[in-house]
Amino acid sequence: MPQSRRAAAPTRLALAAAATAAALALSLAPAAASAQAQTELVIATVNNGHMIEMQKLSKNFEQAHPDIKLKWVTLEEGVLRQRVTTDIATKGGQFDVMTIGLYEAPIWGKKGWLQELKTDAAYDADDLLPAVRSGLSVDGKLYAAPFYAESSMLMYRKDLADKAGVQVPERPTWPQIKDLAAKIHDPKNGVYGICLRGKPGWGDNMAFITTLVNTFGGQWFDMQWKPQLESQPWKDAINFYVDLLKNYGPPGSSANSFNEILALTNSGKCGMWIDATIAASFVSDPKQSKVAEHMAFAQAPTMNTPKGANWLWSWNLAIPAGSKKVDAAQKFITWSTSKDYIQLVAKTNGWANVPTGTRKSTYANPEFQKAARFAAAEKTAIDSANPHDSTLPKSPYVGVQFAAIPEFQAIGIAVGQQMSAALAGKTTVDAALKASQVTAEREMKKGGYYK
């Protein structure tokens, strides 16, 4: 009897355990089913502040959409561009949502590499700033949604201008800028009249130089796609640029791009700086800038035409054409580029830290206007940029500070090196432009634009 009891005990335990396991399995079944039903979105993005903040806030999206799980691939800008370009061109399917620039969006949209974005009334696509929306559209169809955007503007030391007795107009001319640079240039006391990009790169010195050439009346290519690098406007613009920085810029300008000049400006060494509007929030922040209280803002200078005088750039979210998760991707892009998302950032981090340059409603908000004293100048700059009409002579390409064709990257890099060499005094302006013309012609012929 005692033996049979001992034998029976494990059997009862086993039955109880089996029952518990069965009950547990039943209770877990819905969770397992929902886990299996989850759509995983792989998002490729750039490692800048606004995008990193989006990752932190995306838990709000996942809570509202429990059927969608987000997986982030965060990369340096150059690596990101390489990875997404390779993936979309080879139909690799690695990413469901891609962060792409204003350069890629119209090229890839035209090639049929991107899904057209469908937005509803709540999203309010009409609230998007027209210049940015236009740059992301092909034949009136939106192929990417802007996360944040920028133009370029003049940022200057008002205290130095006042001391020189100069009133800077809202839209100055380049001769007025040169005159002011001469008056405030004081290298003995560590102040340079003007700081401008000189470091080679299609997105570095050439972003600024192209806007300078545009306003001098030049263009990259004529209507037959022939490069125009030895035209008079290019010669006039580059001679003016080299002369300006040689006389009134900091030493070593040929090595300076955005970050280097930001550091110089924040330490009080630049009397003027023409660059991305995104810099305005940094140079006017007392925590970052020694001269924050003295910084004032105006439009980028003009010469022979206002066309193309200030650039246009945006980081955007897009869906590759071959995506199998279009609905989920569309939901995420709608959320992260919406008015509600901007409100969420404002509530979490304050209005001074919201992504700018995308929506009319942001600039209409009194709280944003109060937090960002550069807001009006930034919006004017973005509104005045037109990627479809950025040059005085008619041009066949879309883009302000670039031409939205695949060949432009290689051309822009090569020309950027020549311009930097001319600025450093390693070659003459004429020789640099001649070498640039040869390179551009070779690339355009290779691309089949003309024989």
Side-chain angles (χ1 to χ4, degrees):
M1 192 68 177
Q3 278 183 329
S4 67
R5 270 203 194 118
R6 278 200 299 274
T11 309
R12 283 200 296 273
L13 282 171
L15 286 168
T20 304
L24 189 63
L26 281 168
S27 71
L28 286 175
S34 79
Q36 284 172 347
Q38 266 196 333
T39 300
E40 184 181 74
L41 282 183
V42 182
I43 304 167
T45 195
V46 66
N47 65 340
N48 65 31
H50 281 315
M51 298 301 190
I52 289 162
E53 193 54 39
M54 174 171 62
Q55 291 175 46
K56 289 180 193 166
L57 294 174
S58 64
K59 62 179 184 290
N60 293 276
F61 174 81
E62 289 181 312
Q63 283 163 7
H65 301 85
D67 57 327
I68 301 173
K69 182 173 169 50
L70 307 177
K71 183 182 175 186
W72 296 89
V73 179
T74 310
L75 303 162
E76 294 273 347
E77 182 178 333
V79 180
L80 170 81
R81 191 166 271 126
Q82 197 176 18
R83 288 273 301 273
V84 298
T85 302
T86 303
D87 189 62
I88 204 156
T90 59
K91 297 187 172 71
Q94 268 185 292
F95 308 115
D96 304 302
V97 175
M98 294 175 161
T99 304
I100 64 173
L102 200 68
Y103 168 70
E104 293 91 354
I107 300 175
W108 295 359
K110 200 170 182 179
K111 282 179 180 280
W113 289 358
L114 301 174
Q115 289 277 355
E116 182 191 347
L117 295 183
K118 307 284 188 187
T119 58
D120 58 15
Y123 182 78
D124 192 6
D126 288 339
D127 185 47
L128 297 175
L129 294 181
V132 179
R133 185 179 178 181
S134 168
L136 300 173
S137 301
V138 179
D139 299 328
K141 295 175 180 176
L142 191 67
Y143 283 95
F147 185 69
Y148 79 87
E150 64 183 34
S151 184
S152 52
M153 68 191 332
L154 168 65
M155 296 163 276
Y156 66 99
R157 290 267 305 269
K158 191 170 186 306
D159 58 329
L160 298 179
D162 289 347
K163 193 177 168 187
V166 175
Q167 181 80 35
V168 177
E170 190 189 338
R171 175 71 104 168
T173 64
W174 273 110
Q176 286 173 324
I177 291 297
K178 186 176 182 178
D179 181 55
L180 179 56
K183 287 177 177 166
I184 62 178
H185 187 58
D186 188 8
K188 284 180 185 169
N189 290 306
V191 175
Y192 304 102
I194 191 162
C195 297
L196 299 169
R197 295 185 184 196
K199 189 178 185 176
W202 74 269
D204 288 290
N205 64 343
M206 293 318 298
F208 168 75
I209 286 172
T210 302
T211 62
L212 185 69
V213 169
N214 289 343
T215 197
F216 267 73
Q219 63 188 152
W220 274 98
F221 311 103
D222 68 11
M223 288 305 288
Q224 284 72 50
W225 289 104
K226 297 271 176 70
Q228 298 297 300
L229 289 141
E230 289 187 283
S231 63
Q232 199 58 47
W234 270 89
K235 288 181 179 178
D236 292 345
I238 305 308
N239 277 306
F240 181 87
Y241 163 75
V242 169
D243 181 60
L244 186 65
L245 283 177
K246 201 190 295 178
N247 290 315
Y248 312 118
S253 282
S254 61
N256 290 345
S257 194
F258 180 88
N259 290 328
E260 292 82 7
I261 302 174
L262 177 62
L264 285 168
T265 303
N266 281 348
S267 62
K269 291 180 177 174
C270 293
M272 286 183 282
W273 180 25
I274 292 110
D275 212 299
T277 53
I278 199 85
S281 60
F282 308 138
V283 300
S284 60
D285 178 0
K287 291 176 191 161
Q288 300 183 53
S289 171
K290 279 167 60 177
V291 291
E293 64 184 300
H294 300 304
M295 295 306 295
F297 310 97
Q299 294 308 298
T302 61
M303 190 67 184
N304 299 325
T305 175
K307 285 188 178 187
N310 45 284
W311 72 61
L312 186 67
W313 182 255
S314 61
W315 280 116
N316 320 281
L317 300 174
I319 308 169
S323 174
K324 308 257 188 307
K325 302 168 186 174
V326 175
D327 287 348
Q330 182 81 57
K331 282 176 188 169
F332 175 75
I333 290 175
T334 299
W335 172 81
S336 57
T337 62
S338 66
K339 294 184 209 176
D340 288 345
Y341 177 80
I342 291 167
Q343 293 280 350
L344 175 64
V345 178
K347 189 179 162 189
T348 310
N349 302 319
W351 275 102
N353 298 299
V354 301
T356 59
T358 60
R359 288 185 170 271
K360 298 172 196 172
S361 53
T362 303
Y363 291 91
N365 188 299
E367 291 176 85
F368 174 67
Q369 290 170 11
K370 190 179 169 188
R373 57 189 172 88
F374 54 86
E378 179 181 59
K379 184 174 184 294
T380 300
I382 292 170
D383 284 347
S384 70
N386 184 349
H388 294 277
D389 184 21
S390 62
T391 58
L392 190 57
K394 201 165 163 51
S395 294
Y397 52 88
V398 175
V400 182
Q401 77 281 21
F402 56 81
I405 56 170
E407 293 75 15
F408 180 76
Q409 281 194 46
I411 294 169
I413 290 166
V415 176
Q417 287 165 343
Q418 290 294 335
M419 298 305 103
S420 192
L423 182 58
K426 293 176 183 172
T427 185
T428 65
V429 169
D430 282 355
L433 289 172
K434 187 173 186 175
S436 297
Q437 178 74 12
V438 169
T439 301
E441 284 179 358
R442 185 177 64 240
E443 289 295 325
M444 295 304 279
K445 283 176 183 174
K446 199 164 77 179
Y449 289 82
Y450 62 91
K451 290 180 182 176

